[in-house]
Amino acid sequence: MPRAEVGTPKYLANKMKSKGLQRLRWYCQVCEKQCRDENGFKCHAASEAHLRQMLVVGENAGRHIADFSSQFQHDFVTLLSRRFGTKRVRANQVYQEFIQDKSHLHMNATRWVTLTEFVKHLGRSGIAKVDETEKGWFLAWIDSSPKALAKQEASLKKERATMSDEQRERMLIAEQIERAAAQKDDSPSSSTPPAEEQGLKRDDSAEKVVLSFSAKLIAPTPAPAPAVGLKLNPLKANPLKRPNVFKSTPTISTKSSDSAETVNEKKRPAPMSAAERLIVEEQERKRRRMDREAV
């Protein structure tokens, strides 16, 4: 049966019946025909015109599906950029506004089966920023036009100019820390477990330090032993000739040498500790102050 001519009562009746959105599964994208019920779609699928179109599409189905997909993406992104701009909006809301046009390209003719897959594709392609929440998928268009990029670069320059030196240093340090962490994660040595940190450990075998604030008694120094002189014969000795010291020195007994060593050891003062040294210095300082006041 031929189609009704434009302007005839039959044409207006068909338009009134098809007013509003119809079922998506009863729409034929190849023929661009919307059927009102399942019986009408079945009759259309068995028609000669539909079979002829399907033969043409079947020769290169991949190319036709790719064309439909690119056209659907172009129309959807155009609506998103013009209607919402770069604002964050629900993906379902954009799709509802997109399908209000009865002559739009239907999604069942594209390579995406659901809206979720299409939104993920936009996120992977860098066309929009997508995120999933409890309320559904949200997306925001990314303006990559040269004018927008130039404007963004100018705003970044202005922000860097107004940024203080301290904030700039903090940002640089944060970037360096992130870069170092990324390099550490990428390096093969990062798989090895880190060594355990060893804190301060007390060594019990070490010698204990004891401070004594009591002054040590110094032993009195004994009188020096009389020096052993050299006995010379005044008659035989030549006053102009020096005597041989090594020849004329008498041998000293072992007892006398031991006694001399003990005396030398007694003469040496005992080593003072740090506390004793401070006490002695404080006493010396007080004595000098008293002497100055007396004068």
Side-chain angles (χ1 to χ4, degrees), residues 67-82:
D67 293 342
F68 290 147
S69 301
S70 61
Q71 185 179 353
F72 178 83
Q73 178 178 336
H74 177 266
D75 297 342
F76 189 90
V77 173
T78 301
L79 174 65
L80 176 63
S81 60
R82 292 180 179 177

Side-chain angles (χ1 to χ4, degrees), residues 11-267:
Y11 177 81
L12 295 176
N14 292 338
K15 285 296 181 182
M16 291 176 64
K17 290 179 182 179
S18 63
K19 186 178 181 180
L21 296 177
Q22 304 293 324
R23 298 292 295 272
L24 180 61
R25 64 177 181 174
W26 296 335
Y27 181 83
C28 178
Q29 184 63 53
V30 177
C31 303
E32 298 182 1
K33 179 177 176 58
Q34 175 69 57
C35 300
R36 288 192 290 270
D37 52 8
E38 186 176 359
N39 187 30
F41 183 77
K42 183 178 179 181
C43 295
H44 169 74
S47 63
E48 183 179 357
H50 176 76
L51 295 176
R52 193 183 304 112
Q53 284 293 112
M54 291 302 297
L55 289 175
V56 174
V57 173
E59 294 177 357
N60 198 347
R63 182 173 60 84
H64 287 80
I65 294 176
D67 293 342
F68 290 147
S69 301
S70 61
Q71 185 179 353
F72 178 83
Q73 178 178 336
H74 177 266
D75 297 342
F76 189 90
V77 173
T78 301
L79 174 65
L80 176 63
S81 60
R82 292 180 179 177
R83 175 70 175 81
F84 302 98
T86 56
K87 294 190 300 183
R88 182 172 175 268
V89 64
R90 289 182 59 190
N92 193 26
Q93 181 180 352
V94 183
Y95 182 72
Q96 293 297 329
E97 294 191 12
F98 177 74
I99 62 177
Q100 285 181 3
D101 184 12
K102 292 186 64 176
S103 61
H104 73 279
L105 184 67
H106 290 66
M107 187 181 288
N108 60 354
T110 63
R111 59 185 178 184
W112 302 292
V113 180
T114 60
L115 181 62
T116 301
E117 295 181 3
F118 177 65
V119 172
K120 290 181 180 180
H121 166 73
L122 294 179
R124 288 191 298 265
S125 303
I127 300 174
K129 296 179 182 178
V130 299
D131 59 322
E132 185 181 8
T133 61
E134 296 179 355
K135 296 182 180 180
W137 285 89
F138 284 78
L139 72 162
W141 177 58
I142 300 175
D143 191 1
S144 58
S145 61
K147 186 177 180 180
L149 294 176
K151 185 178 180 181
Q152 184 179 3
E153 186 176 358
S155 63
L156 287 176
K157 287 183 179 179
K158 184 178 180 180
E159 184 180 355
R160 290 173 183 173
T162 56
M163 189 185 302
S164 62
D165 296 339
E166 184 178 358
Q167 292 178 351
R168 191 178 295 108
E169 289 180 0
R170 289 180 180 177
M171 290 183 63
L172 290 175
I173 292 173
E175 290 178 359
Q176 291 177 0
I177 292 173
E178 292 178 359
R179 197 180 303 112
Q183 291 178 359
K184 185 177 180 182
D185 294 340
D186 296 340
S187 60
S189 60
S190 61
S191 59
T192 58
E196 296 181 359
E197 297 183 358
Q198 296 182 358
L200 298 176
K201 293 183 179 181
R202 182 177 178 181
D203 190 4
D204 297 335
S205 62
E207 184 179 357
K208 296 182 178 180
V209 179
V210 180
L211 297 178
S212 176
F213 294 95
S214 61
K216 292 185 177 180
L217 298 176
I218 301 174
T221 57
V228 179
L230 298 176
K231 295 181 180 181
L232 299 176
N233 191 354
L235 299 176
K236 294 182 180 180
N238 188 1
L240 301 178
K241 185 177 179 182
R242 291 184 178 181
N244 191 351
V245 180
F246 299 100
K247 186 176 181 181
S248 60
T249 304
T251 58
I252 303 174
S253 63
T254 57
K255 292 183 179 181
S256 60
S257 61
D258 294 342
S259 61
E261 290 178 0
T262 54
V263 169
N264 293 334
E265 290 179 359
K266 290 180 180 181
K267 286 183 179 180

